[in-house]
mmCIF file of all heavy atoms in Angstrom:
data_model
loop_
_atom_site.group_PDB
_atom_site.id
_atom_site.type_symbol
_atom_site.label_atom_id
_atom_site.label_comp_id
_atom_site.label_asym_id
_atom_site.label_seq_id
_atom_site.Cartn_x
_atom_site.Cartn_y
_atom_site.Cartn_z
ATOM 1 N N MET A 1 117.593 100.705 108.188
ATOM 2 C CA MET A 1 116.915 101.485 107.109
ATOM 3 C C MET A 1 117.759 101.493 105.846
ATOM 4 O O MET A 1 118.982 101.584 105.936
ATOM 5 C CB MET A 1 116.716 102.946 107.552
ATOM 6 C CG MET A 1 115.700 103.069 108.657
ATOM 7 S SD MET A 1 114.030 102.762 108.130
ATOM 8 C CE MET A 1 113.686 104.309 107.197
ATOM 9 N N ALA A 2 117.165 101.275 104.714
ATOM 10 C CA ALA A 2 117.832 101.284 103.449
ATOM 11 C C ALA A 2 116.813 101.338 102.368
ATOM 12 O O ALA A 2 115.591 101.269 102.653
ATOM 13 C CB ALA A 2 118.651 99.960 103.310
ATOM 14 N N TYR A 3 117.274 101.517 101.193
ATOM 15 C CA TYR A 3 116.304 101.469 100.031
ATOM 16 C C TYR A 3 116.043 100.058 99.685
ATOM 17 O O TYR A 3 116.918 99.214 99.867
ATOM 18 C CB TYR A 3 116.880 102.297 98.876
ATOM 19 C CG TYR A 3 116.663 103.757 98.970
ATOM 20 C CD1 TYR A 3 117.364 104.544 99.933
ATOM 21 C CD2 TYR A 3 115.724 104.392 98.166
ATOM 22 C CE1 TYR A 3 117.139 105.926 100.023
ATOM 23 C CE2 TYR A 3 115.498 105.748 98.274
ATOM 24 C CZ TYR A 3 116.226 106.503 99.199
ATOM 25 O OH TYR A 3 115.959 107.841 99.351
ATOM 26 N N VAL A 4 114.893 99.748 99.186
ATOM 27 C CA VAL A 4 114.525 98.379 98.826
ATOM 28 C C VAL A 4 113.924 98.384 97.390
ATOM 29 O O VAL A 4 113.245 99.306 96.989
ATOM 30 C CB VAL A 4 113.545 97.735 99.807
ATOM 31 C CG1 VAL A 4 114.221 97.545 101.146
ATOM 32 C CG2 VAL A 4 112.323 98.517 99.883
ATOM 33 N N ILE A 5 114.137 97.227 96.656
ATOM 34 C CA ILE A 5 113.592 97.071 95.347
ATOM 35 C C ILE A 5 112.404 96.121 95.423
ATOM 36 O O ILE A 5 112.506 94.973 95.950
ATOM 37 C CB ILE A 5 114.677 96.532 94.386
ATOM 38 C CG1 ILE A 5 115.797 97.517 94.279
ATOM 39 C CG2 ILE A 5 114.108 96.184 93.048
ATOM 40 C CD1 ILE A 5 116.947 97.088 93.413
ATOM 41 N N SER A 6 111.268 96.590 94.881
ATOM 42 C CA SER A 6 110.039 95.793 94.958
ATOM 43 C C SER A 6 109.920 94.865 93.790
ATOM 44 O O SER A 6 110.690 94.843 92.875
ATOM 45 C CB SER A 6 108.824 96.731 95.009
ATOM 46 O OG SER A 6 108.547 97.225 93.695
ATOM 47 N N ASP A 7 108.834 94.048 93.793
ATOM 48 C CA ASP A 7 108.497 93.113 92.738
ATOM 49 C C ASP A 7 108.172 93.846 91.437
ATOM 50 O O ASP A 7 108.032 93.233 90.387
ATOM 51 C CB ASP A 7 107.349 92.157 93.097
ATOM 52 C CG ASP A 7 107.783 91.213 94.191
ATOM 53 O OD1 ASP A 7 109.014 90.942 94.335
ATOM 54 O OD2 ASP A 7 106.891 90.644 94.863
ATOM 55 N N ASP A 8 108.021 95.146 91.529
ATOM 56 C CA ASP A 8 107.759 95.923 90.295
ATOM 57 C C ASP A 8 108.964 95.991 89.336
ATOM 58 O O ASP A 8 108.863 96.355 88.205
ATOM 59 C CB ASP A 8 107.311 97.359 90.609
ATOM 60 C CG ASP A 8 105.956 97.420 91.237
ATOM 61 O OD1 ASP A 8 105.140 96.419 91.075
ATOM 62 O OD2 ASP A 8 105.625 98.387 91.968
ATOM 63 N N CYS A 9 110.135 95.656 89.931
ATOM 64 C CA CYS A 9 111.395 95.714 89.136
ATOM 65 C C CYS A 9 111.336 94.843 87.862
ATOM 66 O O CYS A 9 110.902 93.718 87.941
ATOM 67 C CB CYS A 9 112.550 95.211 90.051
ATOM 68 S SG CYS A 9 114.134 95.006 89.128
ATOM 69 N N ILE A 10 111.686 95.465 86.762
ATOM 70 C CA ILE A 10 111.634 94.783 85.463
ATOM 71 C C ILE A 10 113.118 94.262 85.126
ATOM 72 O O ILE A 10 113.334 93.862 83.954
ATOM 73 C CB ILE A 10 111.086 95.585 84.341
ATOM 74 C CG1 ILE A 10 111.908 96.938 84.163
ATOM 75 C CG2 ILE A 10 109.601 95.856 84.587
ATOM 76 C CD1 ILE A 10 111.437 97.774 83.027
ATOM 77 N N SER A 11 114.014 94.299 86.046
ATOM 78 C CA SER A 11 115.365 93.883 85.882
ATOM 79 C C SER A 11 116.101 94.514 84.647
ATOM 80 O O SER A 11 116.822 93.842 83.901
ATOM 81 C CB SER A 11 115.424 92.322 85.754
ATOM 82 O OG SER A 11 114.955 91.753 86.964
ATOM 83 N N CYS A 12 115.865 95.835 84.476
ATOM 84 C CA CYS A 12 116.507 96.479 83.377
ATOM 85 C C CYS A 12 117.971 96.741 83.640
ATOM 86 O O CYS A 12 118.761 96.931 82.692
ATOM 87 C CB CYS A 12 115.838 97.843 83.131
ATOM 88 S SG CYS A 12 116.080 99.081 84.368
ATOM 89 N N GLY A 13 118.422 96.727 84.944
ATOM 90 C CA GLY A 13 119.780 96.844 85.178
ATOM 91 C C GLY A 13 120.321 98.296 85.352
ATOM 92 O O GLY A 13 121.461 98.483 85.692
ATOM 93 N N THR A 14 119.491 99.279 85.032
ATOM 94 C CA THR A 14 119.916 100.664 85.126
ATOM 95 C C THR A 14 120.520 101.117 86.422
ATOM 96 O O THR A 14 121.543 101.713 86.524
ATOM 97 C CB THR A 14 118.770 101.571 84.789
ATOM 98 O OG1 THR A 14 118.228 101.203 83.441
ATOM 99 C CG2 THR A 14 119.194 103.027 84.752
ATOM 100 N N CYS A 15 119.849 100.742 87.494
ATOM 101 C CA CYS A 15 120.241 101.192 88.877
ATOM 102 C C CYS A 15 121.606 100.558 89.297
ATOM 103 O O CYS A 15 122.337 101.198 90.019
ATOM 104 C CB CYS A 15 119.250 100.826 89.835
ATOM 105 S SG CYS A 15 118.790 99.032 89.961
ATOM 106 N N GLU A 16 121.889 99.402 88.873
ATOM 107 C CA GLU A 16 123.123 98.713 89.323
ATOM 108 C C GLU A 16 124.396 99.549 89.140
ATOM 109 O O GLU A 16 125.227 99.716 89.926
ATOM 110 C CB GLU A 16 123.270 97.344 88.617
ATOM 111 C CG GLU A 16 124.456 96.534 89.150
ATOM 112 C CD GLU A 16 124.599 95.186 88.486
ATOM 113 O OE1 GLU A 16 124.016 94.968 87.386
ATOM 114 O OE2 GLU A 16 125.258 94.303 89.088
ATOM 115 N N GLY A 17 124.490 100.116 87.927
ATOM 116 C CA GLY A 17 125.679 100.900 87.592
ATOM 117 C C GLY A 17 125.673 102.294 88.190
ATOM 118 O O GLY A 17 126.659 102.931 88.186
ATOM 119 N N GLU A 18 124.566 102.727 88.698
ATOM 120 C CA GLU A 18 124.427 104.072 89.283
ATOM 121 C C GLU A 18 124.746 104.089 90.747
ATOM 122 O O GLU A 18 125.063 105.199 91.340
ATOM 123 C CB GLU A 18 123.048 104.606 89.041
ATOM 124 C CG GLU A 18 122.608 104.781 87.624
ATOM 125 C CD GLU A 18 123.478 105.837 86.907
ATOM 126 O OE1 GLU A 18 123.856 106.788 87.606
ATOM 127 O OE2 GLU A 18 123.681 105.666 85.667
ATOM 128 N N CYS A 19 124.716 102.978 91.424
ATOM 129 C CA CYS A 19 125.006 102.991 92.932
ATOM 130 C C CYS A 19 126.444 103.199 93.154
ATOM 131 O O CYS A 19 127.287 102.494 92.751
ATOM 132 C CB CYS A 19 124.522 101.631 93.494
ATOM 133 S SG CYS A 19 124.880 101.555 95.254
ATOM 134 N N PRO A 20 126.715 104.275 93.929
ATOM 135 C CA PRO A 20 128.153 104.628 94.194
ATOM 136 C C PRO A 20 128.874 103.669 95.094
ATOM 137 O O PRO A 20 130.123 103.663 95.166
ATOM 138 C CB PRO A 20 128.023 106.049 94.824
ATOM 139 C CG PRO A 20 126.699 106.029 95.424
ATOM 140 C CD PRO A 20 125.798 105.224 94.541
ATOM 141 N N VAL A 21 128.126 102.795 95.769
ATOM 142 C CA VAL A 21 128.849 101.839 96.720
ATOM 143 C C VAL A 21 128.652 100.378 96.259
ATOM 144 O O VAL A 21 128.988 99.494 97.031
ATOM 145 C CB VAL A 21 128.322 102.048 98.164
ATOM 146 C CG1 VAL A 21 128.725 103.427 98.694
ATOM 147 C CG2 VAL A 21 126.835 101.838 98.264
ATOM 148 N N GLY A 22 128.085 100.186 95.050
ATOM 149 C CA GLY A 22 127.973 98.768 94.582
ATOM 150 C C GLY A 22 126.999 97.949 95.371
ATOM 151 O O GLY A 22 127.249 96.731 95.515
ATOM 152 N N ALA A 23 125.962 98.541 95.882
ATOM 153 C CA ALA A 23 125.057 97.772 96.807
ATOM 154 C C ALA A 23 124.017 96.995 95.977
ATOM 155 O O ALA A 23 123.271 96.233 96.600
ATOM 156 C CB ALA A 23 124.393 98.750 97.794
ATOM 157 N N ILE A 24 123.901 97.247 94.737
ATOM 158 C CA ILE A 24 122.863 96.621 93.946
ATOM 159 C C ILE A 24 123.308 95.475 93.112
ATOM 160 O O ILE A 24 124.357 95.607 92.401
ATOM 161 C CB ILE A 24 122.175 97.705 93.015
ATOM 162 C CG1 ILE A 24 121.635 98.862 93.889
ATOM 163 C CG2 ILE A 24 121.012 97.062 92.236
ATOM 164 C CD1 ILE A 24 121.061 100.016 93.026
ATOM 165 N N SER A 25 122.616 94.368 93.175
ATOM 166 C CA SER A 25 123.029 93.197 92.390
ATOM 167 C C SER A 25 121.755 92.445 91.903
ATOM 168 O O SER A 25 120.687 92.639 92.467
ATOM 169 C CB SER A 25 123.916 92.254 93.138
ATOM 170 O OG SER A 25 123.250 91.779 94.276
ATOM 171 N N MET A 26 121.900 91.536 91.017
ATOM 172 C CA MET A 26 120.742 90.754 90.516
ATOM 173 C C MET A 26 120.510 89.640 91.537
ATOM 174 O O MET A 26 121.398 88.914 91.956
ATOM 175 C CB MET A 26 121.130 90.094 89.134
ATOM 176 C CG MET A 26 119.952 89.338 88.510
ATOM 177 S SD MET A 26 118.475 90.385 88.217
ATOM 178 C CE MET A 26 117.277 89.084 87.925
ATOM 179 N N GLY A 27 119.249 89.486 91.920
ATOM 180 C CA GLY A 27 118.863 88.476 92.859
ATOM 181 C C GLY A 27 118.152 87.338 92.166
ATOM 182 O O GLY A 27 118.241 87.182 90.970
ATOM 183 N N ALA A 28 117.429 86.558 92.892
ATOM 184 C CA ALA A 28 116.797 85.382 92.320
ATOM 185 C C ALA A 28 115.678 85.742 91.336
ATOM 186 O O ALA A 28 115.557 85.164 90.228
ATOM 187 C CB ALA A 28 116.164 84.539 93.455
ATOM 188 N N ASP A 29 114.900 86.789 91.657
ATOM 189 C CA ASP A 29 113.767 87.168 90.774
ATOM 190 C C ASP A 29 113.913 88.517 90.136
ATOM 191 O O ASP A 29 113.354 88.759 89.088
ATOM 192 C CB ASP A 29 112.432 87.127 91.604
ATOM 193 C CG ASP A 29 112.126 85.750 92.148
ATOM 194 O OD1 ASP A 29 112.352 84.811 91.407
ATOM 195 O OD2 ASP A 29 111.749 85.673 93.302
ATOM 196 N N HIS A 30 114.668 89.406 90.794
ATOM 197 C CA HIS A 30 114.836 90.760 90.253
ATOM 198 C C HIS A 30 116.061 91.389 91.011
ATOM 199 O O HIS A 30 116.617 90.651 91.893
ATOM 200 C CB HIS A 30 113.574 91.626 90.423
ATOM 201 C CG HIS A 30 113.087 91.692 91.819
ATOM 202 N ND1 HIS A 30 113.751 92.348 92.865
ATOM 203 C CD2 HIS A 30 111.964 91.205 92.413
ATOM 204 C CE1 HIS A 30 113.041 92.227 94.029
ATOM 205 N NE2 HIS A 30 111.977 91.482 93.777
ATOM 206 N N TYR A 31 116.376 92.589 90.692
ATOM 207 C CA TYR A 31 117.532 93.212 91.348
ATOM 208 C C TYR A 31 117.250 93.406 92.825
ATOM 209 O O TYR A 31 116.096 93.546 93.215
ATOM 210 C CB TYR A 31 117.923 94.486 90.648
ATOM 211 C CG TYR A 31 118.752 94.304 89.437
ATOM 212 C CD1 TYR A 31 118.207 93.800 88.233
ATOM 213 C CD2 TYR A 31 120.169 94.453 89.452
ATOM 214 C CE1 TYR A 31 119.030 93.552 87.127
ATOM 215 C CE2 TYR A 31 120.987 94.201 88.390
ATOM 216 C CZ TYR A 31 120.412 93.719 87.205
ATOM 217 O OH TYR A 31 121.129 93.491 86.071
ATOM 218 N N GLN A 32 118.300 93.475 93.634
ATOM 219 C CA GLN A 32 118.169 93.686 95.089
ATOM 220 C C GLN A 32 119.217 94.559 95.621
ATOM 221 O O GLN A 32 120.269 94.788 94.938
ATOM 222 C CB GLN A 32 118.219 92.314 95.727
ATOM 223 C CG GLN A 32 119.598 91.584 95.510
ATOM 224 C CD GLN A 32 119.571 90.162 96.004
ATOM 225 O OE1 GLN A 32 118.527 89.585 96.303
ATOM 226 N NE2 GLN A 32 120.776 89.568 96.088
ATOM 227 N N ILE A 33 118.962 95.149 96.789
ATOM 228 C CA ILE A 33 119.911 96.034 97.424
ATOM 229 C C ILE A 33 120.418 95.413 98.746
ATOM 230 O O ILE A 33 119.606 94.935 99.545
ATOM 231 C CB ILE A 33 119.171 97.399 97.762
ATOM 232 C CG1 ILE A 33 118.837 98.148 96.483
ATOM 233 C CG2 ILE A 33 120.091 98.283 98.604
ATOM 234 C CD1 ILE A 33 117.988 99.360 96.660
ATOM 235 N N ASP A 34 121.717 95.466 98.941
ATOM 236 C CA ASP A 34 122.321 94.965 100.111
ATOM 237 C C ASP A 34 122.113 96.078 101.205
ATOM 238 O O ASP A 34 122.718 97.171 101.117
ATOM 239 C CB ASP A 34 123.812 94.735 99.901
ATOM 240 C CG ASP A 34 124.585 94.292 101.196
ATOM 241 O OD1 ASP A 34 123.998 94.336 102.293
ATOM 242 O OD2 ASP A 34 125.769 93.932 101.075
ATOM 243 N N PRO A 35 121.269 95.812 102.199
ATOM 244 C CA PRO A 35 120.944 96.799 103.190
ATOM 245 C C PRO A 35 122.149 97.230 104.048
ATOM 246 O O PRO A 35 122.137 98.395 104.564
ATOM 247 C CB PRO A 35 119.844 96.146 104.011
ATOM 248 C CG PRO A 35 120.115 94.700 103.917
ATOM 249 C CD PRO A 35 120.623 94.518 102.500
ATOM 250 N N ASP A 36 123.154 96.395 104.133
ATOM 251 C CA ASP A 36 124.364 96.763 104.921
ATOM 252 C C ASP A 36 125.237 97.682 104.170
ATOM 253 O O ASP A 36 126.068 98.440 104.795
ATOM 254 C CB ASP A 36 125.076 95.425 105.356
ATOM 255 C CG ASP A 36 124.235 94.624 106.317
ATOM 256 O OD1 ASP A 36 123.533 95.209 107.155
ATOM 257 O OD2 ASP A 36 124.334 93.424 106.165
ATOM 258 N N ALA A 37 125.191 97.626 102.882
ATOM 259 C CA ALA A 37 126.031 98.498 102.007
ATOM 260 C C ALA A 37 125.391 99.800 101.671
ATOM 261 O O ALA A 37 126.077 100.788 101.438
ATOM 262 C CB ALA A 37 126.461 97.669 100.780
ATOM 263 N N CYS A 38 124.061 99.796 101.523
ATOM 264 C CA CYS A 38 123.328 100.996 101.086
ATOM 265 C C CYS A 38 123.516 102.225 102.037
ATOM 266 O O CYS A 38 123.331 102.063 103.247
ATOM 267 C CB CYS A 38 121.826 100.684 100.989
ATOM 268 S SG CYS A 38 120.793 102.119 100.524
ATOM 269 N N THR A 39 123.842 103.350 101.439
ATOM 270 C CA THR A 39 124.076 104.557 102.280
ATOM 271 C C THR A 39 122.858 105.514 102.184
ATOM 272 O O THR A 39 122.877 106.639 102.674
ATOM 273 C CB THR A 39 125.286 105.333 101.826
ATOM 274 O OG1 THR A 39 125.157 105.703 100.424
ATOM 275 C CG2 THR A 39 126.565 104.474 101.978
ATOM 276 N N GLU A 40 121.796 104.994 101.550
ATOM 277 C CA GLU A 40 120.561 105.797 101.418
ATOM 278 C C GLU A 40 120.687 107.082 100.654
ATOM 279 O O GLU A 40 120.109 108.074 100.975
ATOM 280 C CB GLU A 40 119.935 106.031 102.848
ATOM 281 C CG GLU A 40 119.606 104.744 103.626
ATOM 282 C CD GLU A 40 118.945 105.059 104.934
ATOM 283 O OE1 GLU A 40 118.300 106.022 105.087
ATOM 284 O OE2 GLU A 40 119.196 104.270 105.897
ATOM 285 N N CYS A 41 121.561 107.037 99.661
ATOM 286 C CA CYS A 41 121.766 108.284 98.860
ATOM 287 C C CYS A 41 120.566 108.603 97.952
ATOM 288 O O CYS A 41 120.450 109.750 97.576
ATOM 289 C CB CYS A 41 123.024 108.130 98.039
ATOM 290 S SG CYS A 41 123.000 106.976 96.642
ATOM 291 N N GLY A 42 119.837 107.570 97.593
ATOM 292 C CA GLY A 42 118.658 107.782 96.755
ATOM 293 C C GLY A 42 118.877 107.836 95.327
ATOM 294 O O GLY A 42 117.946 107.984 94.493
ATOM 295 N N THR A 43 120.146 107.679 94.853
ATOM 296 C CA THR A 43 120.415 107.796 93.378
ATOM 297 C C THR A 43 119.616 106.716 92.536
ATOM 298 O O THR A 43 119.051 107.061 91.511
ATOM 299 C CB THR A 43 121.951 107.559 93.152
ATOM 300 O OG1 THR A 43 122.662 108.591 93.919
ATOM 301 C CG2 THR A 43 122.245 107.673 91.727
ATOM 302 N N CYS A 44 119.610 105.526 93.124
ATOM 303 C CA CYS A 44 118.904 104.470 92.392
ATOM 304 C C CYS A 44 117.455 104.748 92.169
ATOM 305 O O CYS A 44 116.914 104.483 91.114
ATOM 306 C CB CYS A 44 119.091 103.145 93.145
ATOM 307 S SG CYS A 44 118.537 103.171 94.817
ATOM 308 N N ALA A 45 116.809 105.269 93.185
ATOM 309 C CA ALA A 45 115.374 105.537 93.063
ATOM 310 C C ALA A 45 115.146 106.588 91.986
ATOM 311 O O ALA A 45 114.073 106.520 91.323
ATOM 312 C CB ALA A 45 114.890 106.035 94.408
ATOM 313 N N GLY A 46 116.051 107.482 91.785
ATOM 314 C CA GLY A 46 115.878 108.520 90.790
ATOM 315 C C GLY A 46 115.984 108.037 89.365
ATOM 316 O O GLY A 46 115.530 108.692 88.450
ATOM 317 N N VAL A 47 116.730 106.902 89.182
ATOM 318 C CA VAL A 47 116.929 106.468 87.766
ATOM 319 C C VAL A 47 116.050 105.285 87.381
ATOM 320 O O VAL A 47 115.958 104.953 86.208
ATOM 321 C CB VAL A 47 118.402 105.998 87.540
ATOM 322 C CG1 VAL A 47 119.356 107.176 87.826
ATOM 323 C CG2 VAL A 47 118.765 104.810 88.432
ATOM 324 N N CYS A 48 115.338 104.663 88.304
ATOM 325 C CA CYS A 48 114.507 103.522 88.030
ATOM 326 C C CYS A 48 113.263 103.967 87.133
ATOM 327 O O CYS A 48 112.499 104.839 87.582
ATOM 328 C CB CYS A 48 113.985 102.857 89.278
ATOM 329 S SG CYS A 48 112.932 101.489 88.964
ATOM 330 N N PRO A 49 113.110 103.398 85.963
ATOM 331 C CA PRO A 49 111.990 103.780 85.094
ATOM 332 C C PRO A 49 110.586 103.390 85.558
ATOM 333 O O PRO A 49 109.629 103.877 85.070
ATOM 334 C CB PRO A 49 112.368 103.076 83.773
ATOM 335 C CG PRO A 49 113.115 101.871 84.199
ATOM 336 C CD PRO A 49 113.935 102.337 85.389
ATOM 337 N N VAL A 50 110.560 102.428 86.500
ATOM 338 C CA VAL A 50 109.236 101.929 86.959
ATOM 339 C C VAL A 50 108.972 102.261 88.354
ATOM 340 O O VAL A 50 108.049 101.652 88.997
ATOM 341 C CB VAL A 50 109.067 100.441 86.625
ATOM 342 C CG1 VAL A 50 109.025 100.197 85.143
ATOM 343 C CG2 VAL A 50 110.109 99.648 87.353
ATOM 344 N N GLU A 51 109.815 103.097 88.977
ATOM 345 C CA GLU A 51 109.681 103.500 90.370
ATOM 346 C C GLU A 51 109.550 102.265 91.327
ATOM 347 O O GLU A 51 108.770 102.280 92.256
ATOM 348 C CB GLU A 51 108.413 104.449 90.537
ATOM 349 C CG GLU A 51 108.626 105.719 89.752
ATOM 350 C CD GLU A 51 107.432 106.680 90.006
ATOM 351 O OE1 GLU A 51 106.528 106.353 90.795
ATOM 352 O OE2 GLU A 51 107.496 107.807 89.422
ATOM 353 N N ALA A 52 110.442 101.355 91.114
ATOM 354 C CA ALA A 52 110.418 100.119 91.934
ATOM 355 C C ALA A 52 111.259 100.227 93.176
ATOM 356 O O ALA A 52 111.272 99.297 94.005
ATOM 357 C CB ALA A 52 110.898 98.938 91.075
ATOM 358 N N ILE A 53 112.021 101.341 93.312
ATOM 359 C CA ILE A 53 112.870 101.468 94.437
ATOM 360 C C ILE A 53 112.324 102.506 95.454
ATOM 361 O O ILE A 53 112.088 103.667 95.055
ATOM 362 C CB ILE A 53 114.293 101.880 94.042
ATOM 363 C CG1 ILE A 53 114.754 100.950 92.920
ATOM 364 C CG2 ILE A 53 115.233 101.902 95.260
ATOM 365 C CD1 ILE A 53 116.163 101.287 92.380
ATOM 366 N N LYS A 54 112.122 102.092 96.689
ATOM 367 C CA LYS A 54 111.572 102.979 97.689
ATOM 368 C C LYS A 54 112.445 102.873 98.972
ATOM 369 O O LYS A 54 113.073 101.925 99.174
ATOM 370 C CB LYS A 54 110.136 102.484 98.068
ATOM 371 C CG LYS A 54 109.161 102.403 96.913
ATOM 372 C CD LYS A 54 108.737 103.698 96.366
ATOM 373 C CE LYS A 54 107.637 103.466 95.285
ATOM 374 N NZ LYS A 54 107.386 104.736 94.537
ATOM 375 N N GLN A 55 112.291 103.939 99.771
ATOM 376 C CA GLN A 55 113.012 103.934 101.009
ATOM 377 C C GLN A 55 112.159 103.109 102.040
ATOM 378 O O GLN A 55 110.994 103.345 102.180
ATOM 379 C CB GLN A 55 113.190 105.369 101.563
ATOM 380 C CG GLN A 55 114.205 105.387 102.671
ATOM 381 C CD GLN A 55 114.706 106.808 102.932
ATOM 382 O OE1 GLN A 55 114.008 107.816 102.549
ATOM 383 N NE2 GLN A 55 115.776 106.974 103.583
ATOM 384 N N ALA A 56 112.757 102.119 102.696
ATOM 385 C CA ALA A 56 112.065 101.270 103.609
ATOM 386 C C ALA A 56 111.925 101.905 104.952
ATOM 387 O O ALA A 56 112.676 102.803 105.268
ATOM 388 C CB ALA A 56 112.780 99.922 103.822
HETATM 389 FE FE1 SF4 B 101 123.076 102.532 96.281
HETATM 390 FE FE2 SF4 B 101 122.229 104.914 97.011
HETATM 391 FE FE3 SF4 B 101 120.483 103.161 96.035
HETATM 392 FE FE4 SF4 B 101 121.528 102.765 98.419
HETATM 393 S S1 SF4 B 101 120.164 104.512 97.878
HETATM 394 S S2 SF4 B 101 121.311 101.242 96.797
HETATM 395 S S3 SF4 B 101 123.657 103.578 98.172
HETATM 396 S S4 SF4 B 101 122.202 104.183 94.908
HETATM 397 FE FE1 SF4 B 102 114.695 97.101 88.580
HETATM 398 FE FE2 SF4 B 102 114.348 99.726 88.556
HETATM 399 FE FE3 SF4 B 102 116.754 98.764 88.976
HETATM 400 FE FE4 SF4 B 102 115.713 98.613 86.611
HETATM 401 S S1 SF4 B 102 116.290 100.509 87.621
HETATM 402 S S2 SF4 B 102 116.819 96.972 87.637
HETATM 403 S S3 SF4 B 102 113.583 98.246 87.070
HETATM 404 S S4 SF4 B 102 114.999 98.494 90.298
#
């Protein structure tokens, strides 16, 4: 279980700097979350302007 970033992501980069464990990085098409690093804190979901981050 982890948070995931959907195709709705507009690659604004806001969430990357907010993750306390550095689990978010730019992927091939949009930002992505490393499921092994994510602690499910939910911070990223709270800052995303387009609600592209959901708990899987
Ligand atoms: Fe990082 Fe928390 Fe988002 Fe997981 S839920 S990617 S730990 S900010
Ligand atoms: Fe994508 Fe939302 Fe992160 Fe911006 S804050 S990079 S739109 S997931």
Side-chain angles (χ1 to χ4, degrees):
M1 292 290 284
Y3 278 71
V4 294
I5 296 176
S6 77
D7 289 341
D8 290 338
C9 173
I10 57 173
S11 297
C12 71
T14 303
C15 58
E16 183 178 21
E18 297 294 330
C19 178
V21 295
I24 304 175
S25 62
M26 185 60 194
D29 300 318
H30 54 69
Y31 277 76
Q32 61 189 12
I33 294 172
D34 177 350
D36 295 323
C38 177
T39 60
E40 301 183 30
C41 71
T43 302
C44 55
V47 300
C48 179
V50 295
E51 299 184 359
I53 308 177
K54 307 287 188 191
Q55 195 165 19

